[in-house]
Amino acid sequence: MILFALRRLFGFAVTLLVAAIVIFWLLDLLPGDPAQFMLGINATPEAVARLRGQMGLDAPAHERFIGWILGMLQGDFGTSYTQRAPVAELIGGRLGVTLPLAVFAMVISMAVGLPLGILAARRRGKALDTIIMVTAQTGVAIPNFWFGMLLTLLFAVTLRWLPPGGFTPWNEDSGAALRGLVLPSLALALPQASILARVMRTALVDVTGQDYIRTARAKGLTMGEAVWRHGVRNALLPVLTILGLQFAYLVAGTIIVENVFYLPGLGRLIFTAISERDLILVRGATIILVVTVTATMLLTDIAYALVDPRLRERSTM
Amino acid sequence: MSLLEVSGLSVRFGQTEAVSDVSFSLQRGERFGIIGESGSGKTLTALAVTGLLPEGAQMSGAIRLDERPQPRLEHEMARLRGKRIGMVFQEPMTALNPLMRVKDQIAESIRINLSEAHVPQLLREVGLEPEHGERYPHQLSGGQRQRVIIAMAMASEPDILIADEPTSALDLITQRKVLDLIASICDRRHMTLLFISHDLKAVGALCSRVAVMHRGRLVETGKAASVFAAPRQAYTQKLVAASRFDIRPLSRPPIGTTLLEVDRITRDYRQGGMGPWARKPLRAVDGVSFSINAAECLALVGPSGCGKTTLARIVVGLDRATAGEVRLEGQRHHGSDLPKALRRDMSLVFQDPFGSFNPRMTIGNSIAEPLRLEPELDARAQRARLEEAVEAVGLTVPMLERYPHEFSGGQRQRLAIARALVTRPKLVVLDEPVSALDVSVRGEVLALLARLQADFGLTYLIISHDLDMIRAMADRVLVMEAGRIVEEGRPGEIFVHPQHRLTRELVAARLPEIG
Amino acid sequence: MRRLLSHPSLVIGLVATVIFLVIGLLSLVWTPYPIEQIDIGRRYLGPSAAHWLGTDNLGRDLASLLMSGTWTSFLVAAVAVAIGVGLGVPLGLAAVAWGGAVEWLVLRLTDFVFAFPAVIVAILITALIGPGAINAIVAIGIFNIPVFARVARGGALSIATLDFVAAGRLAGLGRAMIAWRHLLPNIMSLIIVQGTIQTSLGILAEAGLSYIGLGTQPPATSLGLMLRDAQGVFLIHPWLTLVPGLAIVLIVIALNIAGDGLRDAIDPRLRQGNPNVLA
């Protein structure tokens, strides 16, 4: 098990390193002189030279790359030249919105999707199954940001239960901050809950046909008991894989949904950075996103191995 | 008073009737066998008895246990079958929950059925140690898993044991051990047995009374000895004949000089891991040497995993030897480096007739594929070869335009043989050529192989674990264990006076002839 | 073919998809009004005989925008799927046909690309060359590559163990020939089903990217861009949000139903019944 975790951790580190190289290469080497690019064609040569110095562009690429990596390991992501603030600080502030949002959405989608999937599988072919699956089919098809708009119309404009947008920082009024995240997390959670319900149902239906369920029934269990005691845990294996991917894409999805609710999350920071050509900030924010996605997948793999004894011993992969 | 009485049982799926009007009864302590080929409805009959029919199956007729009909409530039926009926299934590899330790799975059965049994005792009864209980299913062999399932079936101290093909996924020696275990447990516990199998010998060894099932109906029922000695129905007669492998001796060309030499072949498989994590390689074949003469039929026997299939794959050029060499008429190769010019001289007939043809290609295209090795043939000559090959195996030319799914298992195996013959090879390697076929067609395919050998002077290398088949076909036998050849001889001598421990075990594991 | 048509969900899904596709195609030759035609005087009109779906905040005809936007969405999603199939399937097949180091490399590559959700790729591209429909195509296409590589590998792995592949090798076929002749034809159905699913995901992703301004740019339009334009006024004029949003939902549902139907129609396990039960 420990060997398995170590091997995965090694793979995680390699993926991150390659990702860092790609991002660095794209944003720092490709478009000619990044300083010139960042300041635009009308910039004075002095300004460009000053930015070059600030970015350390005079050093060779590999030295700058190593410097960037070492800096990040110590929490130094560089300084944003447009906002005149450390990138780490800027990103950290925004993650206070983005991460809770993704976590809430994840919790909601699991709390709704998994039970519905189990219910549909147990009532396979009955009316309830059809209702749940038609709802899920629709839920998968609804863009989360559009659903966010509909939620705002209903709960904020018509019913006036919740704020239509904006965000109160946690340290000012955590209750208001929480209320501000209710609609965005619901909007994010709907398609994910639908996917989870479908995956859970398929997995459970698959498992129901397995030989060991028949063995369990032969022991004296009813179909329902056999599925509950032996099926659900086996069915959770494919669901777990999806969960890992989902959290990753929820983090990415927040970038889009933030826009609907005018939330000061990572997405807004990135868009401002792009429009102001602040490549240092873009670089820092994308690597943070990639780290989050990759770390989630690592955790999923380890969770998978904890559930499945067969995986713990397999040496390859 | 009969313990179990089945009367007028029918099972249908929509329009198709899979089981029709089946009636039989079991007395307490009796051992009853149902014989049938795949698709005969024998498994559905067993599932109906236990109330485990799949969704969509409609059942009619009556099943009474101790004169009482099956309870209607699912919960009551479940507890009844748990308490009174133990079940052992065909596939030990998938019949256990992969995420649970086996002792917990046995303990669950004890708990549900409020039984007094203890897990360590049960494990000992089926010939396992208490430590085996701590393992997960994937850490046990097929035979061990089947023992665990038997232990689980015994946990509720049932009156009836239903065993559905319990040994057909196991190798010969394990098969015999599991059959003996079932017999001894039934004796000790005075348990009634309902044994379901396609294997007449297994049924004959265990059961006193048998029924033969064909296309959903019981065609013949009676005492085992009398059914096997004097079968009344044509179908039963065919089954009994097929299980005896009576192959008429044909006049064959005389055995010639050396065709193929295998010289100290070794094959290691990497076990994964890199650098310091690398594990010791697995040695599948360990310095094997032998030779085959032209027009000879040489058999290679051994338990599963002994390396016989790996060896065959190296001989025909699908796998590469780590060390050693193969010489075909003096020309050397090491397996997958077999030169194209030599490939046409050897061919392979696979075990599974269902996987050996690409479902998206016509049979003709599949059979013509090896002709790529003979680029000098023009289209007309190729066509002539195809037709010659198909007719040689007793099929007709129009069949070349059809797709694999239009053929039965036996026909596909004939077509696979046709493909193996199309390049007019000298050596044909047969990897378990009949073990995936229904009993009733095995005899036909073996007779075909014998005739082809006589007609074309072919040289055969047969890979098998079936001693009866080898006895009927082979001129010489090699016995293989753990990558080495441990004994060699004529089938007549080697099976009468086995020298090596493994050969003795194999011979002992043979089930007695029926009738 | 008749077998395929006996699945009602497949027929419904396909018909609905084709209808949307035809509407989109039609926009290439005819729309009720030119989509670039801005007429502030006629803005925020409700549905009428002249403007079937009304007009937007710039007085553009909503029906015309919808037709054109539908085409953009299909085009972006389809080209992205083509990228995914064109690069992913050969990678997946190569992983199986060659195995060993090739397979390891393909697996690591797919793992790696999975770490870059389409949004992140789109951000990187936009930071480099500015926004545009090409961004969306490339970003979604890159995301599709590992998806198809995995599907192709998974399908081909189970085919590769079958004896007819070994028979092909005995007949002297090379690895590429094995992949082409024996593996690819047998995983085509899997790829078609996945292609349908990825098209619907692509339409959703295009909408998201255009909505945040990383995708299609005016004067062209897409369903996502229509939602972006409606964003500022959606509390007052929700109609402008409802029309393109519903269009997306309907198209995606149509594609998903077609994909589910296709899978049911060609899944051999469902087609032949469960062989274990009848043994």
Side-chain angles (χ1 to χ4, degrees), chain B residues 427-450:
Chain B
L427 173 69
V428 180
V429 179
L430 305 158
D431 186 3
E432 303 273 10
V434 295
S435 62
L437 301 177
D438 273 333
V439 179
S440 56
V441 296
R442 285 183 189 181
E444 297 167 20
V445 172
L446 288 179
L448 170 70
L449 287 170

Side-chain angles (χ1 to χ4, degrees), chain C residues 82-94:
Chain C
I83 294 174
V85 171
L87 293 173
V89 172
L91 280 176
L93 287 177

Side-chain angles (χ1 to χ4, degrees), chain A residues 211 215 217 219-220 230 313, chain B residues 74 79 81 94-95 108 139:
Chain A
D211 286 350
T215 308
R217 292 175 68 201
K219 277 182 197 175
H230 295 272
E313 291 158 19
Chain B
E74 194 203 350
R79 292 298 186 266
R81 78 171 157 254
T94 52
E108 186 186 29
Q139 296 165 321

Side-chain angles (χ1 to χ4, degrees), chain B residues 176 200-202 204-205 228 240-241 243-246 467-469 471 510-515:
Chain B
R176 181 62 188 263
L200 276 74
K201 287 187 184 169
F228 291 149
V240 170
S243 76
R244 290 204 173 114
F245 290 124
D246 287 330
L467 300 192
D468 297 305
M469 191 264 273
R471 183 169 206 162
R510 271 170 84 192
L511 292 163
E513 290 290 331
I514 53 170

Side-chain angles (χ1 to χ4, degrees), chain B residues 435-467:
Chain B
S435 62
L437 301 177
D438 273 333
V439 179
S440 56
V441 296
R442 285 183 189 181
E444 297 167 20
V445 172
L446 288 179
L448 170 70
L449 287 170
R451 183 174 59 75
L452 291 170
Q453 188 178 27
D455 289 356
F456 298 106
L458 294 171
T459 309
Y460 285 156
L461 173 59
I462 301 186
I463 315 290
S464 183
H465 66 267
D466 186 340
L467 300 192

Side-chain angles (χ1 to χ4, degrees), chain B residues 13 16 354 359-360 404-407 412, chain C residues 3 7 263-279:
Chain B
F13 291 90
T16 44
F354 290 93
R360 308 270 163 191
H405 68 267
E406 299 173 59
F407 295 93
R412 286 194 217 196
Chain C
R3 202 189 70 232
H7 286 259
R263 178 167 37 209
D264 289 352
I266 56 193
D267 188 335
R269 276 184 307 171
L270 295 173
R271 193 168 72 215
Q272 298 172 345
N274 192 343
N276 292 332
V277 172
L278 295 169

Side-chain angles (χ1 to χ4, degrees), chain A residues 3 7 124 208 210-225 229-231 233-234 237 307-313 315-316, chain B residues 47 51-52 55 74-75 78-79 81-82 85 87 89 91 94-100 105 108-109 111-113 136 138-139 152 271-272 277 279:
Chain A
L3 195 65
R7 187 172 286 123
R124 184 152 66 114
T208 308
Q210 295 293 319
D211 286 350
Y212 53 78
I213 294 293
R214 188 170 65 176
T215 308
R217 292 175 68 201
K219 277 182 197 175
L221 295 174
T222 62
M223 190 66 176
E225 292 166 333
R229 293 192 198 179
H230 295 272
R233 212 170 136 207
N234 277 289
L237 291 176
V307 180
D308 190 343
R310 287 164 296 186
L311 211 64
R312 291 202 281 272
E313 291 158 19
S315 61
T316 43
Chain B
L47 292 178
L52 288 174
E55 264 178 71
E74 194 203 350
H75 185 261
R79 292 298 186 266
R81 78 171 157 254
I85 305 174
M87 287 199 80
F89 301 102
E91 263 308 326
T94 52
L96 291 166
N97 183 344
L99 304 184
M100 233 170 135
Q105 302 194 42
E108 186 186 29
S109 185
R111 208 168 51 243
I112 298 165
N113 298 298
Y136 289 98
H138 72 277
Q139 296 165 321
M152 224 152 70
Q271 294 255 67
W277 290 298
R279 291 203 284 167

